[in-house]
Amino acid sequence: MRTLFALLLLLSFSIQNSFAGGTLNAEDVSVKKMWTKIQKEIRIPAKVISMHEGEKPEVHFTFDEFGNLRVLEVENASPFLEKQLITSFENIKNAGTPLLSGQRFSIQLKLQ
């Protein structure tokens, strides 16, 4: 299986601005750890990537109180691709922290 690592993280402006400011608070550190964990652990079968090459689905997700990722919505994806992305993202365990619980995050993928 190949992994997909052409992910573009689209977070809120406040989080991006705090990174640019050079100081990281606990929430910023949690977001960086979450992003690193997603990058390392996301697994999408090569067949799925090749079938949907060039597409740019956007995955909206949050975390439960245990830090497990819960997909809220997948935009711009066929039903098959949507199901694959939900499974792939929700298989990542303990990516979040209690600080991130309930917040909404978005990642736009470029399948290549």
Side-chain angles (χ1 to χ4, degrees), residues 15-57:
I15 293 172
Q16 290 176 358
N17 289 340
S18 63
F19 287 152
T23 58
L24 298 176
N25 62 33
E27 186 175 8
D28 297 336
V29 171
S30 295
V31 170
K32 288 182 85 170
K33 285 181 180 179
M34 173 263 300
W35 171 238
T36 300
K37 184 153 179 100
I38 290 173
Q39 273 186 306
K40 286 181 181 178
E41 295 190 17
I42 188 80
R43 301 287 183 263
I44 300 173
K47 185 175 182 177
V48 174
I49 293 172
S50 64
M51 286 173 47
H52 298 280
E53 191 168 351
E55 292 185 32
K56 296 180 181 180

